Amino acid sequence: MIKPYMREDECCGCTACKSICPKNAITLQPNREGFLYPQVNTEICVDCSQCVKVCDFQHRDTETKTFGDYPHVLAVRHRNKEVVECSTSGGAFTGISDFVLNRNGVVYGATIDNDFVVKHIRAVSESDRNKLRGSKYVQSDLGGSFGSVKRDLDNGIEVLFTGTPCQCAGVKSYLERTKTSMDKLIICDFVCHGTPSPRLWKEHVASLQRRYKKKIEYYQFRPKVNGWRNHTEAVVLKDGKKVYKPAFIQKHKQIFYSHLALRKSCYNCKYTSIFRDTELTIADCWGIEKKVPEWNDDRGVSLVLINNKKGEKIFDSIKDNFEYRQIDIKDFMQPQLQHPANKPKQREEFWNEYYQHGYKFIVKKYTTCNFKDEIILAVINLLRRTGMINIVKKIIRR
Ligand SMILES: Cc1cc2nc3c(=O)[nH]c(=O)nc-3n(C[C@H](O)[C@H](O)[C@H](O)COP(=O)(O)OP(=O)(O)OC[C@H]3O[C@@H](n4cnc5c(N)ncnc54)[C@H](O)[C@@H]3O)c2cc1C
């Protein structure tokens, strides 16, 4: 019997195997950590091995490839300040997706649904596209997106597909194998730290609901209320109350940054290079204050890699919407452009403790969130509500 993968760290969950299966014999099922993995229904599988052949992750040659004089590297920020505020970095995604929507194209990307599941959707309007804005630090469920992208391309519709580098490689491999014309396809990935567990994300949402004893209306992973660099989370409750938590008291972000709850394939990532198969790559332009000090307003700047001729043409068409500077990639080499996330030694222990003792236990053991910090947060929120926060910030800066 064919198995799409042998070890969990060989499968990034991109759904290419499920999408290509001629018998619909593959479904994606969550493992214990909450990550989706393909499962083959042996009753209907005909051993055609399409699922193995389409897997880019297992067949990717990790020898460094170069692509002529690409990538061209830019620091970019959208001219519309509101767009920058609503985006995680400098609003590059909005500028690129506007280009596609204005030409009656469609945009695929990740949103948070009403049940707080992070998943890919197809956006045909600006309002749908706005749901894709902002990073969601959880592995998104691609559902049937790959098949839908194929149908759009077959129908002559222009498509922008956005996602993690492994999702982008997956969709490309699937379209190549199904001999789909990619003339109208634009793929835009981002520099990726790794994707955290959907199961722990669900735990985080549940813990917030318990903590505030109210339904959560809306959640934002990285609003800029405390600036671009301060990775604050925003929780909006049913009664309209907003709670902002800086990273030092955020359970979810601390677990994310510790790498303890990333998908196993993230430690074995094949895409951590500056040479990419997509048209465009976007990221946070960390370090911009050293090279373009006049942009150091802490509202966010995007790093954009233009990876091929098609990407260059697209950027040329949209460049007037941005302020941009050519920069040297050597000055902006974040670790995620060089090597996969390091796998912490305690990863197994962390998960075993979670299974045995629950979410509260691992939060206490592996994060710095505690009661004292909750009090600090209450004071910060009080200062914000009374408008005193800016005065205090000024005093601290002095
Ligand atoms: C899990 C994750 C890890 C990241 N790690 C890094 C990093 O280490 N270094 C770095 O510089 N940047 C990282 N980024 C990218 C960065 O946070 C910004 O998303 C990026 O710079 C684009 O910002 P923007 O202002 O152009 O647009 P935004 O509006 O913020 O861009 C949103 C785009 O991200 C996509 N997206 C959001 N969440 C997900 C998701 N869970 N899965 C797939 N696609 C998603 C949307 O579909 C949309 O295309 C990461 C993003 C995610 C989601």
Side-chain angles (χ1 to χ4, degrees), residues 86-94 108-110 118 120 132-140 162-164 167 190-196 222 256 282-284 286 302 334 336:
C86 298
S87 307
T88 306
S89 311
F93 164 69
T94 298
Y108 287 82
V118 175
H120 261 61
L132 312 181
R133 276 180 177 159
S135 295
K136 293 99 193 164
Y137 295 116
V138 182
Q139 182 160 45
S140 78
T162 63
T164 62
Q167 291 173 334
F190 49 80
V191 175
C192 184
H193 198 98
T195 48
R222 252 181 76 190
F256 173 32
I282 54 182
D284 285 294
W286 300 129
S302 294
Q334 19 172 326
Q336 291 71 25

Side-chain angles (χ1 to χ4, degrees), residues 20-161:
I20 206 162
C21 177
K23 296 288 172 192
N24 286 330
I26 299 179
T27 52
L28 272 283
Q29 300 295 336
N31 72 353
R32 257 185 124 188
E33 296 173 358
F35 293 105
L36 297 175
Y37 279 85
Q39 264 185 25
V40 182
N41 180 340
T42 49
E43 308 255 297
I44 45 179
C45 170
V46 288
D47 281 354
C48 69
S49 73
Q50 290 287 343
C51 54
V52 178
K53 290 181 189 151
V54 77
C55 180
D56 187 86
F57 196 88
Q58 287 174 70
H59 298 122
R60 164 103 358 193
D61 175 5
T62 49
E63 286 287 299
T64 304
K65 283 187 261 170
T66 53
F67 299 111
D69 67 339
Y70 296 106
H72 298 177
V73 186
L74 302 173
V76 158
R77 62 179 184 185
H78 205 285
R79 287 192 188 279
N80 182 336
K81 286 197 162 51
E82 265 176 54
V83 169
V84 177
E85 284 311 300
C86 298
S87 307
T88 306
S89 311
F93 164 69
T94 298
I96 300 162
S97 50
D98 274 342
F99 169 79
V100 175
L101 291 175
N102 290 339
R103 291 153 56 105
N104 294 322
V106 298
V107 180
Y108 287 82
T111 188
I112 312 180
D113 76 3
N114 292 339
D115 297 319
F116 294 95
V117 175
V118 175
K119 62 179 190 192
H120 261 61
I121 58 164
R122 176 181 185 268
V124 293
S125 63
E126 203 180 300
S127 64
D128 279 351
R129 184 282 312 277
N130 291 348
K131 296 178 193 160
L132 312 181
R133 276 180 177 159
S135 295
K136 293 99 193 164
Y137 295 116
V138 182
Q139 182 160 45
S140 78
D141 181 348
L142 285 159
S145 298
F146 285 14
S148 177
V149 168
K150 177 171 170 48
R151 279 191 296 281
D152 283 334
L153 293 172
D154 286 344
N155 289 328
I157 298 170
E158 189 159 33
V159 172
L160 168 65
F161 182 88

